[in-house]
Amino acid sequence: MKRVAVLREPTIAGIGQLAAMQTAAPSFGVELQPIDVHDPGEIERALAEFARSPNGGLVVPLSTSAIAHRELIVALAAQQRLPAIYPNRLDVAGGGLISYGANGLDQYRRVAGYIDRILKGEKPADLPVQAPVKYELVLNLKAAKALGLEVPATLLARADEVIE
C-alpha cells in the first residue's frame, strides 16, 4: 500500500487525528490523501476517484458522517477493493476489514460508575474527564479473503475478535 485516503469531516474537531497521521505517514512510505466528505454522493465520487489508482487503502476516523453512512462506506470500500480500517467493531461486523478503537462496552461500564457517584451526590462538573483505557482490534476474515489479503498469524493472534 502506497496511498491512503482519510475520510474526514472538515467542519468538526479532529484535526489532531489527521495531523498525527500526516506525521506518521512518511515513515511508512505512505502518501496520505485527506478526503473531505459531507454527503453520500460526495463519498461515492471521492472513493471512486481515489480507487482509480492502484495500491490504495482507506482510513475512516470516527465522525458523524462515518456513523451515518457506515453501510455505504463499507460497501464502497469493498466495491472499490480498498482495504479499510474503521473506528469500531460495528463497521467490521457489517462487512468491513478491520477496526481498532475504544471498547464500547468498557466505556459504558465506566459511565455506570460515574452515574453511581452522581446519584450519591457528587457534582458532575467535579468529575474528571476520562479517556478510553481499553481498545479492541477486530478483523473480518471474509472481507480479507474478498480483497485477496492474507492476514498474518501474528495479527490474528493479537486480535480481540476475529469474524469468520
Side-chain angles (χ1 to χ4, degrees):
M1 189 174 312
K2 299 291 181 193
R3 303 171 318 107
V4 175
V6 179
L7 291 184
R8 69 183 194 117
E9 288 182 50
T11 57
I12 64 167
I15 296 169
Q17 286 180 348
L18 181 60
M21 287 184 242
Q22 287 172 322
T23 300
S27 65
F28 293 102
V30 173
E31 174 192 331
L32 206 61
Q33 182 177 338
I35 296 177
D36 296 341
V37 294
H38 304 286
D39 61 63
E42 191 173 16
I43 294 169
E44 199 165 337
R45 284 187 300 279
L47 289 182
E49 183 179 323
F50 179 79
R52 285 189 189 116
S53 296
N55 302 323
L58 177 64
V59 173
V60 183
L62 185 61
S63 69
T64 54
S65 283
I67 293 168
H69 306 299
R70 169 182 289 130
E71 292 174 8
L72 173 66
I73 294 168
V74 169
L76 289 172
Q79 177 187 348
Q80 299 294 342
R81 301 194 46 79
L82 291 171
I85 184 164
Y86 300 91
N88 64 57
R89 77 166 305 285
L90 291 176
D91 301 300
V92 178
L97 176 62
I98 189 170
S99 70
Y100 183 73
N103 179 295
L105 221 53
D106 183 61
Q107 290 182 297
Y108 289 131
R109 286 184 187 115
R110 293 174 71 209
V111 166
Y114 267 38
I115 292 169
D116 180 59
R117 290 170 67 179
I118 292 167
L119 291 175
K120 289 179 178 172
E122 287 190 55
K123 295 180 184 174
D126 294 340
L127 298 174
V129 174
Q130 295 185 14
V133 294
K134 187 175 180 183
Y135 291 82
E136 63 184 350
L137 175 67
V138 182
L139 293 164
N140 184 325
L141 292 180
K142 183 178 177 184
K145 184 177 180 181
L147 290 167
L149 299 174
E150 186 175 323
V151 179
T154 53
L155 187 56
L156 284 172
R158 286 187 155 182
D160 296 292
E161 182 179 355
V162 176
I163 297 171
E164 297 187 48

